[in-house]
Structure formats: C-alpha cells, structure tokens
Amino acid sequence: MVRVIHESKEMLIALIVASCLVAGIGGATFFTLGPDGWLTGMLRDLMSDPNLKTLVSLAVVMSILALCKRWLDRNTRSSFNNLLVGVVALGGFALILQGVRAVFG
C-alpha cells in the first residue's frame, strides 16, 4: 500500500511539472508570437519601411534557394543546383547591393 501511494505521488508530481512546463512554454510562445507579442511588433515595424521590406523579402528568397540547393546537393546526378547557384549569385548580389544602397544611402 505504501508503494502505491509513493508511486501515485511521484506520478502526480510528474504531471504537475509537465503541465507547468507546457503552460510556461505556451505562454512564452504566445507573448512572443501573439497579436501583441514583441516579435510580431518588431516584424510589423520592419515591414512598414519599404526598403527593409525589400531586404527581408530578399533574405527569405535567398534562404529558400539555399535550402533548395542543399536538397539538390543530395542528388549527385542533378546539374540544376549549379544553375541555382548562378542565379542566386548574379541576381541576388545585385539586389542586395541595391537594397543596402537604399537603406544606407
């Protein structure tokens, strides 16, 4: 009987700790990404400036292309990844320079 009570107490404590952890992570996520969260406000301020909006959009496109290249590098028979690198290098570099000039110039 003592063993059953001890195991029940351990199970209850584990459930309480797990529920507090889930509530804490959920609350932190909501206050970060929620409608009035600091990250959402920062992104809203960032997207209000057209020059920074262009740079952020370019960074997102470059990240997607980098992930595509990593995926294409797994397939050794594909030569499309070299074309992808050329497009990113040529077009991306010119757009980055224009965006930097617009922000800092």
Side-chain angles (χ1 to χ4, degrees), residues 7-24:
E7 287 179 5
S8 299
K9 190 169 90 173
E10 283 183 358
M11 175 90 98
L12 182 64
I13 290 172
L15 286 173
I16 289 172
V17 168
S19 63
C20 288
L21 182 64
V22 168

Side-chain angles (χ1 to χ4, degrees), residues 10 29 35 64 66 69 81 85 91 95:
E10 283 183 358
T29 303
I64 291 171
K69 180 174 178 350
N81 56 358
V85 170
L95 288 174

Side-chain angles (χ1 to χ4, degrees), residues 26-94:
T29 303
F30 178 75
F31 285 119
T32 302
L33 301 174
D36 295 327
W38 64 269
L39 185 62
T40 308
M42 185 175 69
L43 289 175
R44 193 176 301 125
D45 293 340
L46 185 68
M47 289 299 169
S48 65
D49 184 15
N51 293 329
L52 291 177
K53 187 187 302 186
T54 303
L55 285 178
V56 168
S57 303
L58 181 63
V60 167
V61 168
M62 297 287 283
S63 300
I64 291 171
L65 289 175
L67 288 173
C68 288
K69 180 174 178 350
R70 179 173 284 212
W71 179 70
L72 287 171
D73 278 343
R74 291 184 196 168
N75 188 5
T76 57
R77 295 181 298 170
S78 174
S79 63
F80 184 67
N81 56 358
N82 294 331
L83 177 64
L84 190 63
V85 170
V87 168
V88 170
L90 183 63
F93 186 67

